């Protein structure tokens, strides 16, 4: 039987934990107005948060919802600063408990993991399968509308298997229920943008991870948030595996895979690639996805225009470029990087605009 944890609440509500939670909340955002205002009365603000938790008067604040459109249209939910502090404090205490139960092949939102290591692992599985069997097939799947589809009741039960501290469970239920539609018979959905949602999303699909690895005994399985891949040399075996996984997802978690889920061969040269984690992956090499390249080209042109008009500084541009280089260099992209990065000229703004910005 899995170990449960009971006396977590004193650590979550301690003033030291809240101070550390504030530091993580404010990191890189010190110049923002709401952060500076909170910082000006930091001790009273943190004490107010602490007392609201102690007396159970804490309620999650209103969500500010907006949309982003890259790489696809998604609704993002942002909370007031006090709620982000609370979530950082909560996560700092409970995340290690669940991290110890995650499988090695889960790569999203975890220290020492990430998309690059996930892509490396999948490519290694392809190479090994072809070396051993002469062919490789991929079951490539992702969950349909994953974050909006997470069922609250099963999520609370899963969390409760490890968390036996009543006060901590009260806070978890408050955070999970804060985004529920009033009167919903089966509340669903965890907001993209909540710090806790990253952990909850991994905890929820950890159930599938253990089913695939320990019940189905699939050795070549990788998951990155709601995208997952199973590699095998037998196509019929993967069709059976797909049926088993989809049956488990619906029966246990109330989830379905989307219409893009499919099984196909991945060949050494000239054949179809596995589109996963932002790369087109073959056993022998990998390339960036075309939409990723096109997005960066558009972004470069937009940033160059904003830079010349004095709307952004080079300090804001440089991290964007370096992040893309870091992603692109994990594929065969030397010439591509030179072409994309050298295709746009960043002309400094006229001196008068530069002075106005400073």
């Amino acid at each position: 039987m899995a170990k449960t944890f009971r006396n977590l609440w004193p650590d979550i509500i301690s003033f030291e934990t809240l101070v550390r939670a504030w530091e993580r909340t404010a990191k890189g955002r010190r110049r923002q107005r709401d952060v500076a205002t909170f910082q000006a009365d930091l001790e009273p603000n943190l004490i107010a948060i602490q007392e609201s938790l102690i007396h159970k008067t804490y309620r999650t604040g209103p969500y500010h919802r907006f949309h982003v459109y890259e790489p696809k249209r998604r609704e993002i939910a942002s909370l007031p600063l006090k709620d982000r502090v609370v979530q950082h404090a909560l996560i700092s205490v409970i995340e290690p408990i669940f991290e110890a139960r995650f499988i090695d092949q889960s790569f999203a939102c975890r220290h020492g993991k990430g998309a690059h290591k996930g892509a490396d692992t999948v490519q290694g599985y392809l190479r090994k399968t072809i070396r051993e069997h002469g062919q490789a097939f991929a079951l490539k799947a992702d969950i349909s509308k994953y974050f909006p589809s997470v069922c609250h009741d099963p999520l609370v039960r899963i969390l409760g298997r490890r968390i036996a501290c009543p006060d901590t469970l009260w806070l978890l239920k408050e955070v999970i229920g804060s985004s529920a539609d009033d009167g919903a018979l089966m509340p669903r959905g965890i907001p993209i943008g909540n710090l806790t949602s990253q952990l909850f999303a991994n905890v929820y699909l950890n159930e599938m991870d253990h089913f695939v690895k320990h019940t189905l005994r699939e050795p070549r399985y990788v998951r990155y948030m709601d995208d997952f891949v199973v590699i095998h040399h037998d196509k019929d075996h993967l069709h059976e595996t797909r049926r088993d996984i989809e049956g488990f997802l619906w029966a246990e978690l109330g989830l379905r895979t989307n219409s893009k889920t499919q099984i196909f061969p991945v060949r050494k040269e000239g054949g179809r690639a596995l589109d996963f984690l932002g790369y087109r992956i073959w056993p022998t090499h990998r390339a960036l996805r075309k939409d990723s390249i096109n997005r960066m080209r558009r972004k470069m042109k937009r940033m160059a225009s904003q830079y010349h008009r004095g709307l952004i500084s080079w300090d804001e541009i440089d991290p964007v470029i370096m992040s893309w280089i870091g992603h692109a260099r994990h594929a065969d992209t030397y010439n591509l990087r030179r072409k994309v990065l050298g295709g746009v000229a960043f002309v400094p703004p006229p001196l008068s605009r530069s002075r106005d910005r400073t």
Side-chain angles (χ1 to χ4, degrees), residues 255-266:
L255 301 174
R256 296 188 187 277
T257 58
N258 68 16
S259 59
K260 296 180 182 179
T261 298
Q262 55 189 308
I263 295 165
F264 53 89
V266 183

Side-chain angles (χ1 to χ4, degrees), residues 148-154 180-181 183-189 204 250 253-254:
S149 299
V150 172
C151 299
H152 290 188
D153 289 347
D181 293 333
L185 295 177
M186 185 180 292
R188 289 177 177 263
Y204 204 60
W250 180 245
L253 303 175

Side-chain angles (χ1 to χ4, degrees), residues 6 30 51 68 100 135 142 164 187 290 329 343:
R6 297 182 178 279
R30 299 284 182 180
E51 290 181 348
V68 297
Q135 63 180 1
D142 61 73
K290 292 180 180 179
R329 68 189 302 178

Side-chain angles (χ1 to χ4, degrees), residues 18-38:
L18 293 174
V19 169
R20 291 194 296 270
W22 165 249
E23 292 298 324
R24 287 189 288 272
T25 301
K27 185 177 180 180
R29 304 173 62 235
R30 299 284 182 180
R31 295 183 180 180
Q32 294 182 10
R33 182 176 298 177
D34 59 343
V35 174
T37 301
F38 195 100

Side-chain angles (χ1 to χ4, degrees), residues 196-322:
T196 51
S197 293
Q198 298 176 2
L199 177 62
F200 294 160
N202 266 339
V203 168
Y204 204 60
L205 281 183
N206 185 54
E207 302 295 299
M208 179 183 72
D209 294 343
H210 283 271
F211 174 74
V212 174
K213 292 293 291 183
H214 302 138
T215 301
L216 301 183
R217 298 185 179 276
E218 291 296 331
R220 294 169 188 172
Y221 163 81
V222 167
R223 180 175 66 82
Y224 190 95
M225 197 50 71
D226 59 325
D227 293 350
F228 63 92
V229 169
V230 182
I231 304 297
H232 202 274
H233 65 276
D234 187 335
K235 185 177 181 180
D236 291 337
H237 173 85
L238 286 181
H239 279 293
E240 183 177 349
T241 299
R242 176 182 178 176
R243 288 192 293 270
D244 290 338
I245 292 174
E246 290 180 336
F248 175 88
L249 283 169
W250 180 245
E252 300 297 328
L253 303 175
L255 301 174
R256 296 188 187 277
T257 58
N258 68 16
S259 59
K260 296 180 182 179
T261 298
Q262 55 189 308
I263 295 165
F264 53 89
V266 183
R267 297 187 174 91
K268 292 181 181 180
E269 298 175 0
R272 181 172 179 179
L274 171 59
D275 189 342
F276 191 53
L277 300 180
Y279 300 103
R280 290 178 292 154
I281 303 174
W282 290 267
T284 51
H285 64 288
R286 62 181 180 245
L288 287 185
R289 293 176 56 176
K290 292 180 180 179
D291 58 351
S292 173
I293 299 168
N294 292 333
R295 278 200 307 273
M296 188 56 185
R297 283 179 169 145
R298 291 194 299 270
K299 190 175 293 184
M300 291 282 288
K301 291 178 181 178
R302 184 169 63 249
M303 290 191 301
S305 173
Q306 292 172 332
Y307 180 58
H308 183 61
R309 289 182 288 155
L311 300 178
I312 58 175
S313 68
W314 184 256
D315 287 342
E316 295 170 281
I317 295 168
D318 187 60
V320 176
I321 294 176
M322 295 308 296

Side-chain angles (χ1 to χ4, degrees), residues 30-61:
R30 299 284 182 180
R31 295 183 180 180
Q32 294 182 10
R33 182 176 298 177
D34 59 343
V35 174
T37 301
F38 195 100
Q39 179 75 50
D41 292 304
L42 181 59
E43 185 171 342
N45 284 331
L46 293 182
I47 289 173
I49 291 173
Q50 184 183 46
E51 290 181 348
S52 72
L53 293 171
I54 291 171
H55 299 297
K56 303 293 192 304
T57 58
Y58 170 78
R59 297 296 180 270
T60 304

Side-chain angles (χ1 to χ4, degrees), residues 63-79:
Y63 285 92
H64 168 60
R65 299 181 185 273
F66 58 96
H67 291 92
V68 297
Y69 296 89
E70 290 188 3
K72 61 182 179 181
R73 186 178 187 273
R74 294 179 298 167
E75 182 182 76
I76 306 297
S78 176
L79 282 170

